[in-house]
Amino acid sequence: MKFFKVKTVSETLSIIAEQFHPFRPPIKLPITEACGMVLAEDVISGEQVPHFARSTVDGFAVRAQDTYGASDSLPAFLDITSRIEMGRAAQVLLKEGQAQAIPTGGMLPAGADSVVMIEHVEEIGELLNVYRQVAPGENVIRAGDDVERGELVMSAGHRLRPQDLGVLSAIGRTEVQVFPRPTIGILSTGDEVVPTEKKELAPGEVRDINSVTVGAIAQQHGAIVIQGGIVRDDYELFAARARELFAQVDVLILSGGSSVGTRDFTVQVMQSLGEPGVLVHGVATKPGKPTILAKAGDKPVMGLPGHPVSAQIMFQLLAVPLLERLQGVRARQTDVRLSAKLSRNVASAVGRTDYIRVKLEERADGLWAIPVFGKSGLISTLVESEGIAEIPENKEGVLEGETVKVYLIQ
Amino acid sequence: MKFFKVKTVSETLSIIAEQFHPFRPPIKLPITEACGMVLAEDVISGEQVPHFARSTVDGFAVRAQDTYGASDSLPAFLDITSRIEMGRAAQVLLKEGQAQAIPTGGMLPAGADSVVMIEHVEEIGELLNVYRQVAPGENVIRAGDDVERGELVMSAGHRLRPQDLGVLSAIGRTEVQVFPRPTIGILSTGDEVVPTEKKELAPGEVRDINSVTVGAIAQQHGAIVIQGGIVRDDYELFAARARELFAQVDVLILSGGSSVGTRDFTVQVMQSLGEPGVLVHGVATKPGKPTILAKAGDKPVMGLPGHPVSAQIMFQLLAVPLLERLQGVRARQTDVRLSAKLSRNVASAVGRTDYIRVKLEERADGLWAIPVFGKSGLISTLVESEGIAEIPENKEGVLEGETVKVYLIQ
């Protein structure tokens, strides 16, 4: 077996960004089913938005030149010739010296180039006194002002949020090309691991909680989960089940294998799935060091540590970006972590990134991150933690009151 | 009609917290379907976790007293009498002067009280040299150390995250009582508004983008959306459609009504649905002021402004907490907004909370929020904005470089 150097988190994330890409063809979806999906096409508008000149205020459509010089003491006098209704075409041509009543959002009539606000006029029967001059284009959005026909509205790689669906609706798109949801297979290993449904545990057995946790995080990030069940610490059996599941999915997760034997099996199985094989064998983090990343053909395969806290943190930290890559998400430029002051000294080591589960507390002087340590504290840290604080790889530790970055757990 | 004072955002949020509660009976769900749902029961463990004493390291199970005084120069000598296998009961009693090989997670045999790490021993056939003493309980998690039978693991009102499902699995829970997803009905109003499916718009028409945007946000927050379509500016028709939809749902949203007539209709319709009626008529925000909140029986009814940016911000700001209340979520203690420096001066007014759409940019000196203004800029601000920055009600504005709080748009 080749030897692999342990990689830092940022090195591993760079490897993920370089190595993995969407490899399934895009699909077409109705926009109402596309929230959270990633655009596989550049969206070019086939329409002008708005597709007619609209008033942005309640008032009167006019020719701006007819109002020039108008003031409180010397109003312009115009004839009201029509009233424009919402949702209807403005059908009466506006001529010199004329005005037409128009609501916010109403269509500007031909001949008009601006709108005087209702606050600056006085209606006397069919006569309009205008007390303020307007410039051409004032209080009007022209056709195509917002989007021109042929304009790029959104690019491929954009993850569709609710307002993006609104924008697609505005330009008349009811379907879009998106990358399909990746399927993720989860295979748990370990002689002690039994299905979560098992009611009465025998001595020595524990339930398979990682596939539940990891599966739910994967779903939150757009993946379709296929639970592969649990396999014993037997190389042939393990390899056969892994190959079978690997053939059905886009991403394979091997969970568990905390024993020395299983760890070796995991690497062998990962190598056996195809070239180029293992890319990262160990990540310089605490917890989570025994994490393994491989690539077989186009597909990623990840070996997660067996400890539930390690498994969750490493999946969040590395597998979520992996799922985003497979969905074609453009790299995020923004650091979405919260800043919080750490409530106690925490030691670390240079060259290693530490992750600490924290509760968050809003105090008068800002947000504080309180490390969650239980007794032997697995369950309690799992339930109580609201975020994961990061001690960067270039620090020997963090002092009480120092600011750390916190990933929110949601 | 009664007159209502405009409320601030925080007053409105307090009214929401006081007035609304889950009013549908809890349902029982398999935990694999419960991610994001809110617990309607206190979860008490029926089991001990772990349910047997486990080793936390690879090593040898021993009686601590047999190792007392052991050191590199003066090891303790023990007899290896058994090897414990993962997932199996430890069946051989450990007696004085004995050791049993044990893997991480393996079951501690009766008679043993601690584990010596493999790094601190030397195996010579069936003889074990122990070079370091251990204390009773060292490297061992005892049965029930993590959770005792009868212990409260999670309380009602807790929103289930992936790791919580893992914890439920660990204690053998496969189903939980949760509050059902609220149903939300969305009814759009306005003579100019046409369905998003309409291909060719007539002059004066615009597509109904708010029901798409608001519907998608509601789904992100656990609601089941019933689209009520579009109703014309006609009181009788509007009131009849609103009553019909109201009867089917838990929350009714009336969207649109930017014209003066529709605005009056909206309040009348909201009042007609039942007591106590309108609670908030206008919120001191920019944009979003013409937002209306009412209660009819147990159910909330909200009137949203017609402008897409206003509608989205007000829905996010007020309807999302409302949906959380109906799902029984305990009030969030943590401010989950990011801190960012604003890239330009922005004026505001005391007594009013302003919301500005921003792009986020990571710079050497931290996170910056760049206000997004388009030409007439509706679509471009919708697509480009990554967050909503808040100018608090007690400020006249924010200067360039001042820190603001930013809600991330996801």
Side-chain angles (χ1 to χ4, degrees), chain A residues 68-328:
Chain A
Y68 289 167
S71 68
D72 282 342
S73 53
L74 194 66
F77 303 108
L78 302 177
D79 294 321
I80 301 170
T81 56
S82 180
R83 294 185 179 270
I84 292 151
E85 286 179 65
M86 281 303 278
R88 299 290 175 82
Q91 285 169 325
V92 180
L93 179 70
L94 186 129
K95 296 185 192 145
E96 191 176 341
Q98 295 184 344
Q100 297 185 23
I102 189 167
T104 302
M107 179 175 170
L108 202 71
D113 61 7
S114 50
V115 176
V116 191
M117 287 175 78
I118 202 141
E119 290 85 342
H120 303 143
V121 299
E122 191 180 1
E123 276 183 80
I124 304 162
E126 294 305 294
L127 192 70
L128 189 73
N129 292 1
V130 177
Y131 295 108
R132 193 167 306 179
Q133 64 179 9
V134 286
E138 198 166 330
N139 298 323
V140 168
I141 300 178
R142 277 164 304 199
D145 252 3
D146 202 349
V147 183
E148 271 304 341
R149 193 175 284 115
E151 192 174 323
L152 175 69
V153 173
M154 276 172 236
S155 310
H158 184 77
R159 187 187 278 282
L160 295 169
R161 305 158 301 169
Q163 78 247 47
D164 300 319
L165 305 180
V167 168
L168 291 169
S169 301
I171 61 166
R173 290 290 299 261
T174 50
E175 292 184 322
V176 275
Q177 292 276 353
V178 294
F179 291 107
R181 299 184 181 281
T183 50
I184 187 168
I186 304 170
L187 185 59
S188 288
T189 60
D191 285 343
E192 78 281 24
V193 181
V194 299
T196 53
E197 302 79 46
K198 184 160 183 182
K199 282 286 167 219
E200 293 288 327
L201 298 184
E205 293 180 342
V206 295
R207 295 193 186 88
D208 176 24
I209 83 172
N210 284 352
S211 54
V212 173
T213 305
V214 161
I217 301 172
Q219 279 178 330
Q220 282 182 331
H221 291 87
I224 296 164
V225 175
I226 299 179
Q227 292 289 0
I230 301 157
V231 69
R232 298 257 137 191
D233 280 350
D234 173 294
Y235 178 75
E236 291 307 325
L237 202 61
F238 183 9
R241 288 279 292 279
R243 272 194 297 274
E244 192 188 338
L245 188 56
F246 179 71
Q248 296 172 46
V249 298
D250 299 334
V251 188
L252 179 63
I253 302 292
L254 303 174
S255 158
S258 61
S259 69
V260 178
T262 322
R263 246 180 278 148
D264 293 344
F265 285 169
T266 302
V267 175
Q268 280 179 59
V269 167
M270 288 169 89
Q271 289 288 33
S272 79
L273 292 170
E275 290 295 320
V278 171
L279 304 172
V280 178
H281 191 175
V283 183
T285 59
K286 182 186 172 189
K289 194 177 168 199
T291 300
I292 312 169
L293 176 66
K295 185 182 184 187
D298 292 320
K299 299 179 186 177
V301 185
M302 188 175 274
L304 285 179
H307 192 276
V309 170
S310 313
Q312 192 202 344
I313 290 177
M314 297 316 282
F315 191 84
Q316 197 82 52
L317 203 66
L318 301 176
V320 167
L322 198 52
L323 290 172
E324 290 182 343
R325 287 299 295 166
L326 295 182
Q327 290 173 82

Side-chain angles (χ1 to χ4, degrees), chain A residues 31-32 35 47 49-52 54 58 86-90 103-105 107 141 144-148 151 153-154 158 160-167 169-174 191-193 196-209 212-214 216-217 219-220 232-233 258-260 263 312 332-338 357 360-362 367 375-387 405 408-410, chain B residues 31-32 35 47 49-52 54 58 85-90 103-105 107 141 144-148 151 153-154 158 161-167 169-174 191-193 196-209 212-214 216-217 219-220 232-233 258-260 263 312 332-338 357 360-362 367 375-387 405 408-410:
Chain A
I31 60 163
T32 47
C35 195
E47 298 188 4
V49 179
H51 77 294
F52 55 92
R54 305 182 75 182
D58 291 335
M86 281 303 278
R88 299 290 175 82
T104 302
M107 179 175 170
I141 300 178
D145 252 3
D146 202 349
V147 183
E148 271 304 341
E151 192 174 323
V153 173
M154 276 172 236
H158 184 77
L160 295 169
R161 305 158 301 169
Q163 78 247 47
D164 300 319
L165 305 180
V167 168
S169 301
I171 61 166
R173 290 290 299 261
T174 50
D191 285 343
E192 78 281 24
V193 181
T196 53
E197 302 79 46
K198 184 160 183 182
K199 282 286 167 219
E200 293 288 327
L201 298 184
E205 293 180 342
V206 295
R207 295 193 186 88
D208 176 24
I209 83 172
V212 173
T213 305
V214 161
I217 301 172
Q219 279 178 330
Q220 282 182 331
R232 298 257 137 191
D233 280 350
S258 61
S259 69
V260 178
R263 246 180 278 148
Q312 192 202 344
R332 188 188 268 277
Q333 300 305 319
T334 305
D335 187 345
V336 297
R337 295 170 298 176
L338 298 175
R357 303 185 144 237
L360 292 166
E361 216 175 274
E362 196 66 38
L367 194 61
K375 329 170 255 193
S376 47
L378 181 56
I379 303 280
S380 54
T381 70
L382 283 164
V383 175
E384 284 173 33
S385 52
E386 299 173 301
K405 291 289 191 175
L408 213 56
I409 299 177
Q410 285 178 314
Chain B
I31 60 162
T32 47
C35 195
E47 299 188 3
V49 180
H51 77 292
F52 55 91
R54 304 182 77 182
D58 291 334
E85 287 179 66
M86 282 303 279
R88 300 291 177 79
T104 303
M107 178 176 172
I141 300 177
D145 252 2
D146 202 350
V147 184
E148 272 302 342
E151 192 175 321
V153 172
M154 276 171 239
H158 185 76
R161 303 158 303 167
Q163 77 248 45
D164 300 319
L165 305 181
V167 168
S169 300
I171 62 167
R173 287 291 298 261
T174 51
D191 285 343
E192 77 283 23
V193 181
T196 55
E197 302 80 49
K198 183 160 183 183
K199 281 286 166 219
E200 295 288 326
L201 297 185
E205 293 180 343
V206 295
R207 296 193 185 87
D208 176 25
I209 83 172
V212 173
T213 304
V214 161
I217 301 172
Q219 278 179 330
Q220 282 183 332
R232 301 254 136 192
D233 279 352
S258 60
S259 69
V260 179
R263 245 179 279 146
Q312 191 201 345
R332 189 187 268 277
Q333 301 304 317
T334 305
D335 187 345
V336 296
R337 295 171 298 177
L338 299 174
R357 302 184 145 236
L360 292 165
E361 215 175 276
E362 196 65 38
L367 194 61
K375 323 170 260 188
S376 49
L378 180 56
I379 303 280
S380 54
T381 70
L382 283 163
V383 175
E384 284 173 32
S385 53
E386 299 175 301
K405 290 288 192 175
L408 213 54
I409 300 177
Q410 284 178 317

Side-chain angles (χ1 to χ4, degrees), chain B residues 126-403:
Chain B
E126 294 304 294
L127 191 71
L128 188 73
N129 292 1
V130 177
Y131 295 107
R132 195 167 306 180
Q133 64 179 8
V134 286
E138 197 165 331
N139 299 322
V140 168
I141 300 177
R142 277 163 304 199
D145 252 2
D146 202 350
V147 184
E148 272 302 342
R149 193 174 284 116
E151 192 175 321
L152 175 68
V153 172
M154 276 171 239
S155 309
H158 185 76
R159 187 186 278 282
L160 295 169
R161 303 158 303 167
Q163 77 248 45
D164 300 319
L165 305 181
V167 168
L168 291 169
S169 300
I171 62 167
R173 287 291 298 261
T174 51
E175 291 184 323
V176 275
Q177 293 276 351
V178 294
F179 292 107
R181 298 184 182 283
T183 50
I184 185 167
I186 303 169
L187 185 58
S188 288
T189 60
D191 285 343
E192 77 283 23
V193 181
V194 299
T196 55
E197 302 80 49
K198 183 160 183 183
K199 281 286 166 219
E200 295 288 326
L201 297 185
E205 293 180 343
V206 295
R207 296 193 185 87
D208 176 25
I209 83 172
N210 284 352
S211 54
V212 173
T213 304
V214 161
I217 301 172
Q219 278 179 330
Q220 282 183 332
H221 291 87
I224 296 164
V225 176
I226 299 179
Q227 293 289 0
I230 301 158
V231 70
R232 301 254 136 192
D233 279 352
D234 172 295
Y235 178 74
E236 291 307 327
L237 202 61
F238 184 10
R241 289 279 292 280
R243 270 195 297 273
E244 193 189 336
L245 189 57
F246 179 73
Q248 295 171 48
V249 298
D250 299 334
V251 186
L252 179 63
I253 302 293
L254 304 174
S255 157
S258 60
S259 69
V260 179
T262 320
R263 245 179 279 146
D264 292 345
F265 284 169
T266 303
V267 174
Q268 280 180 58
V269 167
M270 287 169 89
Q271 289 287 34
S272 78
L273 292 171
E275 290 294 321
V278 171
L279 304 172
V280 178
H281 191 178
V283 182
T285 59
K286 184 187 169 190
K289 193 176 169 200
T291 300
I292 312 167
L293 176 66
K295 185 182 185 186
D298 291 321
K299 298 180 186 178
V301 184
M302 188 176 275
L304 285 180
H307 191 277
V309 170
S310 313
Q312 191 201 345
I313 290 176
M314 298 315 283
F315 191 84
Q316 197 82 52
L317 203 67
L318 301 176
V320 167
L322 197 52
L323 290 173
E324 290 182 344
R325 287 300 296 168
L326 294 183
Q327 290 174 81
V329 178
R330 274 196 309 258
R332 189 187 268 277
Q333 301 304 317
T334 305
D335 187 345
V336 296
R337 295 171 298 177
L338 299 174
S339 294
K341 299 186 190 78
L342 203 60
S343 71
R344 39 163 290 175
N345 298 344
V346 172
S348 177
V350 170
R352 185 184 80 192
T353 312
D354 283 17
Y355 296 94
I356 303 160
R357 302 184 145 236
V358 295
K359 284 200 283 194
L360 292 165
E361 215 175 276
E362 196 65 38
R363 297 182 187 166
D365 60 347
L367 194 61
W368 284 76
I370 295 98
V372 179
F373 302 108
K375 323 170 260 188
S376 49
L378 180 56
I379 303 280
S380 54
T381 70
L382 283 163
V383 175
E384 284 173 32
S385 53
E386 299 175 301
I388 299 167
E390 183 177 287
I391 317 292
E393 61 194 52
N394 61 355
K395 298 207 67 162
E396 279 185 13
V398 170
L399 294 175
E400 181 186 330
E402 245 187 284
T403 296

